[in-house]
Amino acid sequence: MSGQAFRQFIVKVHGRCNLACTYCYLYAGPDRTWRSRPASAAPEVLDRTAARIAEHARAHALPALSLVLHGGEPLLAGAETLARFTALVRGRVPAGCAVDAVVQTNATLLTARRLAVLADAGLRIGVSLDGGLAAHNARRVDHSGRPSWPAASRGALLVAERAPQAYAGVLTVVDVTQDPVETYESLLALRPPVLNLLLPHGNWSAPPPHWAGARHGEWLCAVFDRWWTAGRRETRVRLFEECVALLLGLPSATEALGLAPFDAVVVETDGSVEQVDSLKSAYDGAARTGLDVFRHAFDEALRHPAVAARRAGPAALADQCRACPLLRVCGGGHYAHRYRAGHGFRNPSVYCADLQRLIHRIAARLAADTAPAVRRDEVAS
């Protein structure tokens, strides 16, 4: 039964943030549901969530699952709370079900003691930053307008130096106003084992900033070229690795590319079960399901019409996408980026031109660098 299961459980342990990033789609976007929810998840919410995760793992015989502790800023809930909840989930899932636990943080609240608590609990730490220099993070400010970079950079380096085994990597939203190679190389200084490059959330009714001319695709191509020609793997870049895998006919596990059904579900601070936060960039209430962990099993979320539509593969895509030769690799792009008011999500990605540019670039590089080896194999045979 595991083929239809959720495998990633995103739990909002805290629903507020100590930063006020000027571009934040969650708190400055069209969705306002966070305003009516408690700031932090109560113990009974966390207890019931752990029970529901274990129930789902047992029902679907999951050999492994991903637990993502999120916010807001999850460290506002306290490192000990995160550690206790992680232990609670691990203690309740069936024997043999591995729990990969990650906390996604802006790193400003990380201290040596908090890091030790998280690492000792077997939690990995993912850091959200816009680049490796102060100038890259100018829009990541606190509620008084003060820059977060000094504290954030200290936190990221603390993980790299004190607990490299617990370093999950850095998540960076693409900013085409910044130099792509400089941004990439500056992030290398933070020594991330993995770099997740995300396109800014936008859609056809609310296009992303600096959208014209496939600039995001060109930006990503420049970073890919620098990464691909480095001569050694300086860090993993998930978007590029997943694209290469899909081009080689291998499975992929990213929301941004491919046709694999997305397998994540969110539990909010009040216990509400929702779709992923990125949908909140489309319109108010877009992620709602009307379900909660007190009354509903996660299997009911699997059957929710909006969730089922998102997991329908090519059938959920626009005719233009289904006819595209890049369908198997692109997969229509990120679901939230397909939205158009009055027409729903059955549209090409607003980043269609950018994705085409990037995929063609990676395919050309891959073909050029593997062709000699293929020819040698043919001669040898």
Side-chain angles (χ1 to χ4, degrees), residues 14 29 31 35 42 55 86 128 136 159 182 190 197 264 276 286 305 311 323 336:
H14 206 282
D31 189 87
R35 295 179 180 273
E55 174 186 59
T86 300
S128 299
H136 299 150
V159 182
E182 178 191 66
L190 300 175
L197 295 174
V276 292
R311 294 165 59 89

Side-chain angles (χ1 to χ4, degrees), residues 174-190:
V174 170
D175 182 353
V176 295
T177 67
Q178 302 292 336
D179 181 87
V181 173
E182 178 191 66
T183 300
Y184 171 72
E185 292 180 342
S186 70
L187 286 165
L188 291 179
L190 300 175

Side-chain angles (χ1 to χ4, degrees), residues 30-313:
D31 189 87
R32 291 290 181 268
T33 54
W34 65 272
R35 295 179 180 273
S36 61
R37 291 190 167 123
S40 59
E44 55 269 25
V45 170
L46 297 179
D47 181 81
R48 193 62 178 157
T49 299
R52 289 297 191 190
I53 292 172
E55 174 186 59
H56 197 72
R58 189 174 300 109
H60 294 271
L62 296 183
L65 61 86
S66 174
L67 177 66
V68 182
L69 306 185
H70 221 286
E73 171 47 50
L75 280 173
L76 287 172
E80 291 80 3
T81 297
L82 307 183
R84 282 194 300 270
F85 177 63
T86 300
L88 188 62
V89 173
R90 286 186 171 135
R92 290 189 177 177
V93 297
C97 179
V99 177
D100 177 32
V102 180
V103 54
Q104 190 66 36
T105 174
N106 60 40
T108 59
L109 301 178
L110 276 174
T111 62
R113 187 193 65 79
R114 289 171 182 154
L115 176 58
V117 170
L118 298 174
D120 289 348
L123 272 156
R124 296 188 299 126
I125 297 100
V127 176
S128 299
L129 288 170
D130 289 347
L133 299 174
H136 299 150
N137 294 275
R139 296 181 298 168
R140 296 180 68 84
V141 296
D142 67 14
H143 291 272
S144 297
R146 295 170 299 198
S148 66
W149 171 248
S153 58
R154 282 196 301 270
L157 288 171
L158 187 68
V159 182
E161 293 165 0
R162 300 280 188 93
Q165 79 285 354
Y167 199 177
V170 171
L171 183 154
T172 294
V173 177
V174 170
D175 182 353
V176 295
T177 67
Q178 302 292 336
D179 181 87
V181 173
E182 178 191 66
T183 300
Y184 171 72
E185 292 180 342
S186 70
L187 286 165
L188 291 179
L190 300 175
R191 307 201 289 278
V194 182
L195 180 59
N196 285 321
L197 295 174
L198 304 182
L199 291 166
H201 289 314
N203 54 64
W204 293 103
S205 296
H210 315 290
W211 173 49
R215 291 181 64 189
H216 294 83
E218 283 300 315
W219 196 98
L220 287 169
C221 284
V223 177
F224 173 77
D225 288 343
R226 166 64 181 78
W227 175 77
W228 185 260
T229 59
R232 61 186 180 89
R233 191 169 76 172
E234 297 164 309
T235 187
R236 296 177 57 198
V237 180
R238 188 180 180 200
L239 178 65
F240 302 157
E241 290 184 348
E242 298 286 359
C243 187
V244 168
L246 287 162
L247 286 165
L248 293 175
L250 301 172
S252 173
T254 176
E255 189 178 9
L257 295 172
L259 290 168
F262 194 53
D263 60 2
V265 66
V266 176
V267 178
E268 288 283 351
T269 56
D270 61 354
S272 296
V273 175
E274 294 203 339
Q275 299 187 77
V276 292
D277 278 353
S278 55
L279 292 182
K280 296 178 180 180
S281 65
Y283 59 89
D284 189 26
R288 282 178 176 156
T289 66
L291 308 176
D292 64 73
V293 294
F294 294 101
R295 298 176 298 156
H296 307 98
F298 285 121
D299 273 13
E300 295 186 60
L302 284 173
R303 295 190 291 268
H304 189 277
V307 175
R310 185 173 185 182
R311 294 165 59 89

